[in-house]
C-alpha cells in the first residue's frame, strides 16, 4: 500500500498561509513537496513572539502548515535560479504559487512558459480575485477577503459590528479549495493525460463555503443578519446558554429533542404554552424561550448538563478552550494530532482532518530547516557538486 499522492512531485512557491495550507494537505497524503523559499526564508518562519522556536526559523504558525516538505532556497530574481526551475519542471507534476497574478510571468516561470516545458503540468495559482478580471492585480489578505466575501457581515453581534471569525478563515478555506482543485486535476489527468491551470480566487473559495447563505439570498432576496450564536436554522434551542460555571451550546432541532430538553430542565410546564407550540412560534418568542432555558441551565455545571444531555440524547456541547479540547479522550482514538521528532525535541502538529482505512495522512518528516534540502534536490535534478558550489558562491541558492 502507499499514500494517495505517493509519487506526485510538487514545486511549492507559496508563502504565508493560504498556499502553504494547500500544499501541506497534499504533503500529508504522500506528495513530495519541494518548498522554494527565498534565501531569507518565508516570513512566517520567524514569527513575531521571539520565542526559541521562532529564533530557529520554526515558528509554530509556519510549522503548522509546512511539515513533510523539503526546503530549497533560491533567489528567483537571478536568471540562474530560473534556469534551475526550468530544469526541475519536467520532473514535477504540480506547481503551486500564491503571488499576485503576473508575478510568475515576470520572473519567466508563469503557467504558459512552464506548460510548454511540461504539458502534463498542473499549475495551481491562489490569489485574492483570480487570474482574470479587473481586480486580479489587487493584493489580498485574509481579513480583507473575510470582509468583502460577506463572511464578516453574518458573524458576531449587531452591538459589536461585523466580526472576523477567530482564525484566518479565508486563508484556510482558500488553501483547502486549492488542495481539492489540485487533487481533482490530478485525477482528471489520469484519463486525459493533460495538465491544466487551477485558478483559485480567495473570494470564490469563501463563497463556496457560504453556499447556503448565497443561494438563499439569490433565490428569495433574504438579507442575512449577524448570526450571533444562533444555529443557521434560527431555532431558539440552537444557541449558546450560560451554565453555573461556564457555557454550553445546544443543538436541539427536532420536536422530540425539544420535548426531552424541557423535561430534563424541569420545565415541562412550558410545553403546552401556545407561545412555544411549534418552531414558528418558538422563533417568534425566541427571547422568552431563551430565558426559560438559560435560567434552568444556570442551576447546574456544564459537566453535569453534559452528562444529563448525553444520557437523554439531547445534542449539546460544552464551550472549551483549546487547552481543554486537546485533553479530550477523543484525540487518543484519532490521528488528527500527531507527534514528530525534531533536533530540538518532539512537537505535536495537526494532520489530515479525516482518517482512511489505510495509508492516510501522516507526518513523516520534521519541518525543514531553511534550505535544508537544497543540495539534495539539485543533485536529483542532475547538478554536479561543482555546479552546486558555483550556484552557492553566486548566491543563487
Amino acid at each position: 500500500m502507499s499514500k494517495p499522492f505517493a509519487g506526485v512531485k510538487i514545486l511549492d512557491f507559496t508563502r504565508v498561509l493560504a498556499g502553504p495550507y494547500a500544499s501541506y494537505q497534499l504533503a500529508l497524503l504522500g506528495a513530495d513537496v519541494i518548498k522554494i523559499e527565498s534565501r531569507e526564508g518565508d516570513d512566517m518562519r520567524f514569527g513575531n513572539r521571539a520565542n526559541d522556536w521562532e529564533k530557529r526559523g520554526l515558528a509554530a504558525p509556519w510549522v503548522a502548515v509546512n511539515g513533510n516538505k523539503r526546503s530549497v532556497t533560491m533567489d528567483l530574481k537571478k536568471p540562474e535560479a530560473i534556469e534551475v526551475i526550468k530544469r526541475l519542471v519536467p520532473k514535477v507534476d504540480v506547481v503551486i504559487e500564491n503571488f499576485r497574478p503576473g508575478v510568475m510571468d515576470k520572473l519567466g516561470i508563469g503557467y504558459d512558459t512552464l506548460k510548454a516545458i511540461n504539458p502534463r503540468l498542473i499549475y495551481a495559482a491562489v490569489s485574492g480575485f483570480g487570474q482574470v478580471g479587473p481586480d486580479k492585480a489587487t493584493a489580498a489578505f485574509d481579513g480583507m477577503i473575510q470582509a468583502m466575501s460577506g463572511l464578516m457581515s453574518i458573524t458576531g453581534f449587531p452591538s459589536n459590528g461585523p466580526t472576523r471569525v477567530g482564525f484566518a478563515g479565508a486563508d484556510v478555506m482558500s488553501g483547502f479549495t486549492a488542495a481539492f482543485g489540485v487533487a481533482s486535476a490530478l485525477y482528471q489527468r489520469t484519463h486525459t493525460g493533460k495538465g491544466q491551470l487551477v485558478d483559485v480566487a480567495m473570494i470564490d473559495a469563501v463563497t463556496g463555503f457560504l453556499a447556503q447563505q448565497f443561494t438563499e439570498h439569490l433565490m428569495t432576496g433574504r438579507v442575512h443578519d449577524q448570526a450571533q450564536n444562533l444555529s443557521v436554522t434560527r431555532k431558539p434551542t440552537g444557541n449558546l446558554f450560560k451554565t453555573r460555571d461556564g457555557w454550553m451550546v445546544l443543538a436541539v432541532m427536532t420536536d422530540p429533542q425539544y420535548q426531552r430538553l424541557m423535561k430534563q430542565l424541569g420545565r415541562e410546564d412550558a410545553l403546552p404554552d401556545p407561545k412555544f407550540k411549534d418552531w414558528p412560534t418558538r422563533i417568534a418568542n425566541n427571547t422568552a424561550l431563551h430565558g426559560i432555558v438559560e435560567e434552568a441551565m444556570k442551576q447546574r455545571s456544564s459537566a453535569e448538563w453534559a452528562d444529563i444531555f448525553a444520557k437523554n440524547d439531547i445534542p449539546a456541547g460544552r464551550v472549551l478552550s483549546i487547552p481543554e479540547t486537546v485533553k479530550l479522550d477523543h484525540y487518543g482514538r484519532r490521528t488528527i494530532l500527531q507527534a514528530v521528532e525534531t533536533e530540538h525535541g518532539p512537537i505535536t502538529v495537526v494532520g489530515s482532518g479525516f482518517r482512511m482505512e489505510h495509508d492516510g495522512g501522516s507526518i513523516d518528516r520534521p519541518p525543514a530547516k531553511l534550505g535544508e534540502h537544497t543540495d539534495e534536490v539539485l543533485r536529483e535534478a542532475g547538478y554536479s557538486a561543482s555546479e552546486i558550489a558555483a550556484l552557492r558562491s553566486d548566491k543563487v541558492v
Side-chain angles (χ1 to χ4, degrees), residues 13 38 40 65 83 91 118-119 124 129 187 193 199 297 299 315 389:
F13 294 91
S38 70
E40 296 74 33
V65 293
E83 288 307 310
K91 299 180 181 180
N118 181 358
F129 302 95
Y187 179 74
D199 177 5
M297 292 189 64
Q299 307 310 308

Side-chain angles (χ1 to χ4, degrees), residues 76-197:
L76 294 176
K77 294 179 182 178
K78 296 195 171 184
E80 298 91 338
I82 300 306
E83 288 307 310
V84 174
I85 297 300
K86 290 179 178 179
R87 193 157 161 179
L88 289 170
V89 163
K91 299 180 181 180
V92 305
D93 300 281
V94 181
V95 163
I96 306 179
E97 53 99 345
N98 64 339
F99 294 108
R100 290 194 209 188
V103 169
M104 291 285 278
D105 290 315
K106 289 179 181 178
L107 291 171
I109 47 176
Y111 174 58
D112 288 337
T113 298
L114 299 188
K115 76 173 181 180
I117 298 172
N118 181 358
R120 288 173 54 82
L121 182 71
I122 291 158
Y123 185 109
V126 182
S127 62
F129 302 95
Q131 301 297 304
V132 296
D135 299 321
K136 68 178 184 180
T138 302
F141 301 90
D142 175 82
M144 173 183 173
I145 298 299
Q146 286 199 38
M148 295 182 67
S149 66
L151 179 58
M152 286 179 63
S153 74
I154 62 172
T155 305
F157 290 78
S159 58
N160 295 330
T163 305
R164 290 170 71 157
V165 298
F167 67 107
D171 277 335
V172 172
M173 293 176 201
S174 301
F176 200 86
T177 299
F180 183 63
V182 168
S184 300
L186 282 168
Y187 179 74
Q188 188 177 54
R189 194 180 70 177
T190 63
H191 52 268
T192 66
K194 297 179 180 179
Q196 63 177 301
L197 174 67

Side-chain angles (χ1 to χ4, degrees), residues 12 14-28 35 64-66 69 96 98 167-168 171-179 350-353:
D12 179 13
T14 64
R15 306 158 300 147
V16 192
L17 181 54
Y21 187 91
S23 56
Y24 178 57
Q25 302 309 306
L26 301 166
L28 285 168
K35 183 176 177 67
V65 293
N66 283 290
K69 302 178 186 179
I96 306 179
N98 64 339
F167 67 107
D171 277 335
V172 172
M173 293 176 201
S174 301
F176 200 86
T177 299
V350 177
S352 296

Side-chain angles (χ1 to χ4, degrees), residues 172-237:
V172 172
M173 293 176 201
S174 301
F176 200 86
T177 299
F180 183 63
V182 168
S184 300
L186 282 168
Y187 179 74
Q188 188 177 54
R189 194 180 70 177
T190 63
H191 52 268
T192 66
K194 297 179 180 179
Q196 63 177 301
L197 174 67
V198 178
D199 177 5
V200 180
M202 293 175 68
I203 196 166
D204 292 355
V206 177
T207 301
F209 280 82
L210 300 180
Q212 289 182 311
Q213 289 79 10
F214 270 79
T215 301
E216 186 173 21
H217 170 69
L218 293 168
M219 287 180 65
T220 70
R222 177 184 170 187
V223 177
H224 292 76
D225 299 322
Q226 287 172 269
Q228 303 177 62
N229 284 308
L230 271 170
S231 158
V232 294
T233 66
R234 291 302 191 263
K235 292 180 178 178
T237 47

